[in-house]
């Protein structure tokens, strides 16, 4: 397994959906994750977040993404509608042992934070040569 998501509010959301029939809160940091060309890729939607307010941290195999979306209005302005989440958001991902957390690359473009995490060399399939006394070496692979 490459990834486990942690969301302390998931259970609260589930209960609220049962009681009220709606989602408790909008997803402040929706993400997609996929595998591509020997890398594990995670993309977070963070529209309206400035790159300076992003903070990425890896400790052991836990990746924490922290972002802040500030209030766009001035203090003396009355909001007519306020549906976009604002404030500080964080999300933790538990990365599998097959990923090389030492070589994570991060890029931010048009409100999308993309992380590329290489699959560790020791986790990649490799061919093993088997020697036989009759026919020399043969390759057997996965």
């Amino acid at each position: 397994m490459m990834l486990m998501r942690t969301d302390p509010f998931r259970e609260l959301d589930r209960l609220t959906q049962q009681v009220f029939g709606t989602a408790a809160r909008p997803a402040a940091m929706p993400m997609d994750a996929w595998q591509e060309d020997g890398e594990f890729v995670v993309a977070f939607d963070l529209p309206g977040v400035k790159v300076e307010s992003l903070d990425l941290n890896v400790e052991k195999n836990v990746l924490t993404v922290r972002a802040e979306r500030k209030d766009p209005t001035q203090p003396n302005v009355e909001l007519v509608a306020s549906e976009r989440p604002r404030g500080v958001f964080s999300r933790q991902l538990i990365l599998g042992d097959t990923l090389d957390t030492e070589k994570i690359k991060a890029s931010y473009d048009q409100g999308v934070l993309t992380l590329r995490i290489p699959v560790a060399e020791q986790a990649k399939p490799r061919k093993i040569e088997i020697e036989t006394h009759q026919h020399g070496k043969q390759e057997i692979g996965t």
Side-chain angles (χ1 to χ4, degrees):
M1 176 174 246
M2 296 280 181
L3 168 77
M4 283 178 36
R5 296 186 301 170
T6 62
D7 186 350
F9 297 104
R10 184 180 298 142
E11 189 65 18
L12 179 63
D13 283 355
R14 192 181 64 75
L15 290 172
T16 305
Q17 284 174 351
Q18 287 177 347
V19 174
F20 297 108
T22 61
R25 64 190 165 97
M29 202 182 292
M31 71 168 205
D32 289 335
W34 65 93
Q35 233 179 317
E36 171 184 294
D37 299 329
E39 291 182 315
F40 186 66
V41 184
V42 187
F44 296 92
D45 279 353
L46 295 166
V49 172
K50 293 187 174 160
V51 71
E52 310 81 69
S53 78
L54 293 173
D55 184 47
L56 301 174
N57 188 310
V58 173
E59 188 173 342
K60 294 184 181 174
N61 65 335
V62 178
L63 171 72
T64 303
V65 179
R66 185 183 168 281
E68 182 177 7
R69 184 181 297 118
K70 297 193 176 190
D71 198 329
T73 61
Q74 302 300 318
N76 58 349
V77 172
E78 180 184 344
L79 279 172
V80 176
S82 179
E83 296 178 355
R84 300 181 341 167
R86 58 185 54 86
V88 176
F89 308 100
S90 71
R91 186 125 188 213
Q92 287 190 319
L93 304 177
I94 300 172
L95 304 175
D97 294 336
T98 58
L99 299 176
D100 189 347
T101 57
E102 298 289 321
K103 296 180 180 168
I104 295 175
K105 292 180 187 163
S107 61
Y108 190 63
D109 185 37
Q110 297 184 19
V112 178
L113 173 65
T114 303
L115 306 179
R116 294 186 170 276
I117 312 162
V119 174
E121 283 300 318
Q122 64 267 26
K124 291 181 181 173
R126 59 186 175 88
K127 293 199 178 286
I128 300 171
E129 288 186 5
I130 299 177
E131 289 187 34
T132 63
H133 295 292
Q134 299 168 345
H135 303 291
K137 294 182 181 179
Q138 289 185 342
E139 281 193 355
I140 297 181
T142 53

